[in-house]
């Protein structure tokens, strides 16, 4: 066997410098870094999931079309079943969009935003093009439309409410973009249950609109990775050509169906998160040396007078894990997920300690 084997020599040259997405993992921390629902999964729903697991649940392949789940999502969103596709988290669907439509073309991304749009574009062999947002993180509609006219633009990615800034984009602005491009406009509404106006009403009018949603955030299923897409049926039909045949496992399908059948159980938790978000925002605003940004998601972006890396490190030493977002357009910014009330209070206490040290 050749001892000089070098896998890097076989790798696509354009991926050699790609930095993989890495989420921090620390045991015993107050975990406020990943925009998860902080509350325990409702026991009544968990019990129903167990009751529906049959003897052949694990040794048979799942329904590749996830038909029962698609029916539930259709009832929840009002979208037609032939315009829905489910995936192993929104990330898989984003990659499917890139592979199906983006390869060899340009993908516009309104930044700062979720970093995985750019990563998936590069993996698919597309060219990610950043279009900076305006002051206050609003979309620069004119710049997006102008950039879409250049080159072979295939996809435009917008997140509303935007991660990590928390601000939504008005549907009127997104409609203005849809009207002036032949590219697919993908609106990621992962945090829509927490605020902002949905673009769902635009689906019938604009066949180039794609909406991404997830059950990971508001519905507490981050551990099972369930995302879904709403689009024109002609777009879904093409995406089915690149989708993996058994991409969503049987347990995730069952859990998602059960949650959607009992989604009223989560309404109270969502209201609690929203109330705690407003309280956390007010408390952050009152801290000297902190600038917090308005949000309609389940997290808050804030800037500190100290370097973000130092604040992040000092909080970690005190048992608090949040996300360091420092970068272009987000200088000295960090993002904190809205946790349980006692977690939020502990975070505020430790943040004050760090800033006063």
């Amino acid at each position: 066997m050749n001892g000089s084997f070098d896998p890097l020599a076989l790798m696509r040259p354009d991926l050699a410098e790609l930095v993989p997405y890495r989420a921090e993992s620390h045991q015993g921390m107050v975990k406020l870094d990943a925009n998860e629902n902080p509350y325990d999964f409702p026991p009544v729903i968990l019990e129903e999931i167990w009751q529906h697991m049959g003897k052949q649940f694990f040794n048979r392949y799942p329904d590749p079309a996830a038909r029962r789940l698609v029916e539930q999502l259709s009832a929840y969103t009002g979208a037609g079943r032939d315009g829905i596709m489910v995936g192993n988290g929104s990330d898989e669907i984003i990659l499917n969009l890139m592979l199906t439509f983006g390869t060899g073309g340009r993908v516009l991304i309104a930044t700062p935003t979720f970093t995985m749009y750019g990563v998936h574009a590069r993996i698919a062999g597309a060219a990610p093009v950043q279009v900076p947002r305006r002051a206050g993180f609003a979309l620069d509609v004119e710049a997006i439309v102008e950039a879409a006219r250049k080159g072979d633009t295939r996809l435009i990615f917008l997140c509303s409410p935007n991660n990590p800034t928390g601000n939504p984009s008005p549907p009127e602005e997104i409609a203005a973009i849809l009207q002036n491009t032949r590219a697919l406009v993908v609106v990621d509404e992962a945090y829509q249950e927490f605020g902002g106006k949905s673009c769902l009403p635009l689906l019938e009018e604009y066949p180039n609109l794609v909406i991404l949603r997830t059950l990971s955030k508001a519905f507490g299923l981050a551990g099972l990775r369930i995302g879904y897409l709403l689009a024109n049926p002609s777009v879904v039909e093409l995406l089915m050509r690149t989708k993996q045949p058994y991409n969503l496992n049987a347990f995730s399908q069952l859990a998602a169906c059960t949650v959607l059948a009992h989604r009223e159980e989560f309404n109270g938790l969502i209201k609690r998160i929203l109330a705690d978000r407003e309280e956390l925002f007010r408390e952050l605003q009152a801290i000297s040396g902190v600038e917090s940004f308005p949000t309609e998601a389940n997290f808050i972006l804030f800037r500190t007078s100290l370097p973000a890396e130092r604040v992040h490190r000092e909080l970690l030493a005190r048992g608090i894990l949040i996300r360091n977002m420092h970068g272009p357009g987000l200088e000295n910014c960090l993002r904190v997920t809205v946790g349980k009330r006692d977690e939020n209070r502990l975070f505020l206490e430790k943040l004050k300690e760090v800033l006063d040290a």
Side-chain angles (χ1 to χ4, degrees):
M1 188 172 181
N2 191 341
S4 63
F5 169 70
D6 180 10
L8 183 60
L10 303 177
M11 189 177 190
R12 278 171 41 197
D14 59 309
L15 296 183
E17 303 300 322
L18 182 65
V19 178
Y21 180 91
R22 289 191 175 97
E24 293 186 80
S25 179
H26 298 275
Q27 298 299 317
M29 295 283 151
V30 174
K31 194 174 185 299
L32 301 174
D33 68 316
N35 304 338
E36 301 148 321
N37 187 320
Y39 293 99
D40 294 338
F41 201 76
V44 63
I45 300 179
L46 195 58
E47 181 60 31
E48 184 167 334
I49 292 172
W50 302 144
Q51 290 176 359
H52 282 87
M53 292 172 58
K55 294 180 180 179
Q56 295 185 329
F57 191 79
F58 291 109
N59 64 311
R60 301 295 183 186
Y61 285 107
D63 177 3
R67 286 167 293 187
R68 182 171 168 236
L69 176 53
V70 167
E71 289 177 4
Q72 293 270 27
L73 290 170
S74 177
Y76 173 53
T77 63
R81 287 175 290 181
D82 56 352
I84 299 174
M85 188 180 86
V86 299
N88 184 20
S90 296
D91 278 300
E92 184 192 36
I93 300 176
I94 294 168
L95 182 57
N96 280 141
L97 284 162
M98 298 292 188
L99 290 169
T100 307
F101 301 105
T103 302
R106 292 170 15 119
V107 176
L108 305 188
I109 303 168
T111 56
T113 192
F114 185 43
T115 58
M116 288 305 295
Y117 304 142
V119 171
H120 285 311
R122 292 183 63 184
I123 291 171
V129 177
Q130 296 186 10
V131 183
R133 291 170 174 262
R134 295 182 184 275
F137 307 120
L139 292 178
D140 190 334
V141 175
E142 294 80 8
I144 292 171
V145 170
E146 181 62 27
R149 295 193 178 109
K150 299 175 182 177
D152 184 14
T153 300
R154 309 283 189 83
L155 293 155
I156 301 171
F157 271 82
L158 314 170
C159 188
S160 179
N162 185 44
N163 176 19
T165 61
N167 61 303
S169 298
E172 304 81 49
E173 292 185 356
I174 293 169
I177 296 170
L178 287 160
Q179 292 165 6
N180 288 283
T181 182
R182 297 177 63 185
L184 279 177
V185 178
V186 183
V187 182
D188 190 343
E189 294 187 346
Y191 303 95
Q192 201 280 320
E193 281 84 4
F194 299 107
K197 289 185 178 180
S198 174
C199 288
L200 268 172
L202 301 178
L203 266 178
E204 288 190 13
E205 185 176 354
Y206 298 102
N208 58 329
L209 172 63
V210 173
I211 296 174
L212 300 181
R213 294 279 191 88
T214 182
L215 300 184
S216 295
K217 311 300 182 183
F219 295 107
L221 288 175
L224 298 186
R225 309 297 293 125
I226 304 160
Y228 62 100
L229 169 149
L230 308 171
N232 187 278
S234 63
V235 173
V236 174
E237 194 277 328
L238 295 178
L239 284 167
M240 289 294 183
R241 303 183 187 187
T242 58
K243 183 186 82 70
Q244 294 295 308
Y246 300 106
N247 63 323
L248 194 60
N249 69 74
F251 187 78
S252 291
Q253 291 188 35
L254 171 60
C257 288
T258 309
V259 163
L260 288 169
H262 298 281
R263 54 185 179 270
E264 69 280 355
E265 292 283 340
F266 288 88
N267 290 340
L269 296 180
I270 293 171
K271 289 179 181 178
R272 192 182 309 176
I273 291 169
L274 293 179
D276 289 343
R277 180 187 73 190
E278 299 311 308
E279 180 180 348
L280 180 58
F281 183 77
R282 287 193 301 269
E283 293 288 344
L284 276 171
Q285 282 186 309
I287 299 176
S288 177
V290 172
E291 177 188 9
S292 51
F293 297 91
T295 179
E296 294 201 37
N298 66 333
F299 55 81
I300 299 172
L301 182 77
F302 65 98
R303 176 178 284 123
T304 66
S305 55
L306 297 179
E309 174 59 34
R310 176 180 166 184
V311 174
H312 180 266
R313 183 178 65 251
E314 293 293 335
L315 283 174
L316 195 61
R318 290 166 170 79
I320 308 292
L321 177 61
I322 63 173
R323 186 64 63 91
N324 179 6
M325 303 305 306
H326 175 75
L330 297 173
E331 289 77 11
N332 287 332
C333 283
L334 302 107
R335 189 194 69 199
V336 59
T337 305
V338 179
K340 296 177 183 177
R341 187 159 297 180
D342 59 338
E343 294 175 329
N344 297 335
R345 288 173 178 168
L346 186 60
F347 156 71
L348 291 165
E349 174 188 323
K350 299 303 180 183
L351 178 63
K352 291 174 185 176
E353 284 183 13
V354 171
L355 296 177
D356 292 340

